[in-house]
Amino acid sequence: MATARSTTATRSTSKRASPSPSKRVSARAGSQAAGRASADAATSTATPSPPAASRATVPVLWLALLATPMAAGANAPVLILPDMARSLAVSPSTAAWLVTSFAWASAVGTPLLAGLLRRRGLRPALRLSGALLLLGTLLVAASPWLPLTLLGRTAQAAGGAGLIAAAMSLAGSARRMGVITAGFGVLGAAGPLLGVQLAQAVSWRLSLSVSVVAVLAVPVVSRYATRPAPAQGRFDGRGAALLTGLATALVLLPRFPAAALGSAAVAALALALHVRRRPEGFVPLALLRKPVFLGSALLALALSGSYFTLLFAVPRLLSDRAGWDRGAAGAGQLVALLTGSALSWLLAAASARMGRTAVRTVLTGIGALAAVTAAFASWGPLLLTALLGAVFTATGANAVLSVHAASAAPEAQRPTAIGLFTLCYQLGGAFGPAVATALVLGA
């Protein structure tokens, strides 16, 4: 009996001493959590965590505010060029240099300031771009002479190009890029009408100053700047100069065909030889050998050129073929541009599920159909549908293909890829009006 009681007591004691299964699980979980906490503490001591701003994603609406006002400022002179010419006491053809200088500075400034973004980081690029935009706006607002006004427009365009390059490099996805480029298309479509309204209410100088609104986003976006990786090697000044010369010759091609074509050929040959000698320079050779990058940039150039050709040609075609007056043509064009720009965001949002081949097929097919329709249609709504298709493909290409082009480059070279891609898109904007003049407006 004593032995039995002793055995019972021993079992009772062991039951009280051993924890229940749930308590054992809790104990193990607590032990593992403590181990993880100790490991995390050791890791945080060895490698400090980056600041919150470096891990955060820039809100896309701030990126849109950083980039899109340039579209309104670029298209503002379209309908007020005669007023500008009278105010400056020059001919309309001479005043048109204000448009040419803006296109040149946008094309040249994009890769140059993207190179600064790559080497020095986000904050210096934003500061320089914002300063150029502010300085250019002050010159445009106060200058009574055409040369100084030209200088102001050039500074505006260069600063705006830097802000656009920064916004596109921070987008990170086709969906977010689509928000930026759709806003770019919408404000670009509203630019001529906005320019007229501001010119009538105040002055044409205010019309050319609307892009300065973008500087409001500079302080906010600057908070997301991280310390850039140390720049590798010296800055390739010769490569930058040769690319600038080539872009300048191409922009001047519509005004001085023979001289610009010869200069472009010489600059292209010199740049090709330089890239072979310095493959990691301002224009990376490895990037040029990427079929994804080259295909994206060249397709964007073609679609952009087609869009800007129809942008200038369709109002004249509506008058000549359909008998529309200027007011009806302008209203119809605005609706088509706004609709096409908004629809391009849907393509950007769906592009990740569609795949590259399907996206390029859609862009190429609709772009070709828009050009053919504009060439043969005589019914007003059909001409406007062609314009809608053109702005849809150009804006969609800017959103989706820029992501494709950037994905072909290593992380350190992505600002360069964005800059060179945008240069091609801007060249399409320079060629389009010249093609429209040769085919339609000059008739």
Side-chain angles (χ1 to χ4, degrees):
M1 295 291 294
T3 304
R5 283 195 298 269
S6 174
T7 303
T8 303
T10 302
R11 288 176 180 173
S12 176
T13 304
S14 64
K15 286 181 181 179
R16 287 194 303 268
S18 61
S20 65
S22 61
K23 290 182 179 180
R24 286 197 299 270
V25 172
S26 300
R28 282 198 300 270
S31 176
Q32 292 171 358
R36 284 196 301 270
S38 300
D40 292 344
T43 303
S44 64
T45 304
T47 55
S49 60
S54 67
R55 298 195 305 266
T57 301
V58 185
V60 70
L61 293 181
W62 284 110
L63 295 181
L65 179 59
L66 190 70
T68 56
M70 283 303 300
N75 292 351
V78 170
L79 300 178
I80 59 173
L81 201 59
D83 298 334
M84 295 161 55
R86 283 193 297 270
S87 176
L88 295 168
V90 296
S91 66
S93 61
T94 302
W97 277 103
L98 290 168
V99 179
T100 303
S101 65
F102 194 94
W104 171 79
S106 295
V108 170
T110 299
L112 291 177
L113 286 162
L116 175 65
L117 177 64
R118 172 190 171 188
R119 293 182 63 86
R120 300 299 182 188
L122 178 64
R123 190 170 286 119
L126 287 176
R127 287 175 177 172
L128 178 59
S129 300
L132 286 172
L133 182 54
L134 282 172
L135 176 62
T137 301
L138 290 175
L139 289 177
V140 168
S143 170
W145 305 292
L146 178 63
L148 203 56
T149 308
L150 283 171
L151 181 62
R153 284 295 278 174
T154 301
Q156 278 184 322
L163 297 182
I164 292 171
M168 294 179 72
S169 68
L170 292 171
S173 69
R175 182 188 295 268
R176 285 162 54 84
M177 191 77 79
V179 174
I180 297 171
T181 55
F184 206 85
V186 168
L187 287 185
L193 181 60
L194 179 63
V196 169
Q197 296 299 322
L198 293 177
Q200 292 176 348
V202 183
S203 169
W204 61 266
R205 298 179 185 274
L206 181 60
S207 302
L208 302 190
S209 302
V210 294
S211 55
V212 77
V213 174
V215 301
L216 296 176
V218 170
V220 177
V221 178
S222 294
R223 297 174 189 168
Y224 294 83
T226 58
R227 186 179 299 276
Q232 301 295 325
R234 295 178 303 162
F235 175 70
D236 183 15
R238 179 176 298 179
L242 289 174
L243 181 64
T244 300
L246 176 60
T248 301
L250 292 175
V251 169
L252 294 177
L253 191 60
R255 284 184 171 268
F256 310 104
L261 185 60
S263 300
V266 172
L269 178 59
L271 181 60
L273 294 174
H274 175 75
V275 169
R276 291 183 66 86
R277 287 194 301 266
R278 189 166 179 182
E280 297 296 330
F282 191 79
V283 182
L285 180 60
L287 189 61
L288 298 180
R289 288 177 173 173
K290 296 284 187 179
V292 172
F293 173 80
L294 283 181
S296 300
L298 293 178
L299 182 55
L301 171 62
L303 294 174
S304 172
S306 176
Y307 160 59
F308 282 102
T309 299
L310 295 186
L311 178 65
F312 283 83
V314 163
R316 175 69 177 269
L317 295 177
L318 287 171
S319 175
D320 294 346
R321 297 180 185 177
W324 289 26
D325 59 26
R326 178 182 293 184
Q333 185 179 33
L334 179 61
V335 171
L337 293 175
L338 292 175
T339 304
S341 299
L343 289 176
S344 68
W345 182 82
L346 298 179
L347 176 66
S351 61
R353 297 190 299 272
M354 294 173 62
R356 289 179 180 175
T357 302
V359 168
R360 295 186 184 206
T361 300
V362 170
L363 291 174
T364 304
I366 296 180
L369 182 61
V372 171
T373 300
F376 296 102
S378 58
W379 186 42
L382 200 55
L383 287 169
L384 290 176
T385 302
L387 181 59
L388 186 154
V391 69
F392 168 78
T393 56
T395 308
N398 199 14
V400 180
L401 298 184
S402 60
V403 175
H404 295 177
S407 68
E411 183 70 29
Q413 291 183 348
R414 287 185 180 177
T416 300
I418 289 290
L420 295 176
F421 173 89
T422 308
L423 170 62
C424 291
Y425 186 88
Q426 296 283 6
L427 287 177
F431 295 153
V435 175
T437 300
L439 296 180
V440 177
L441 301 181

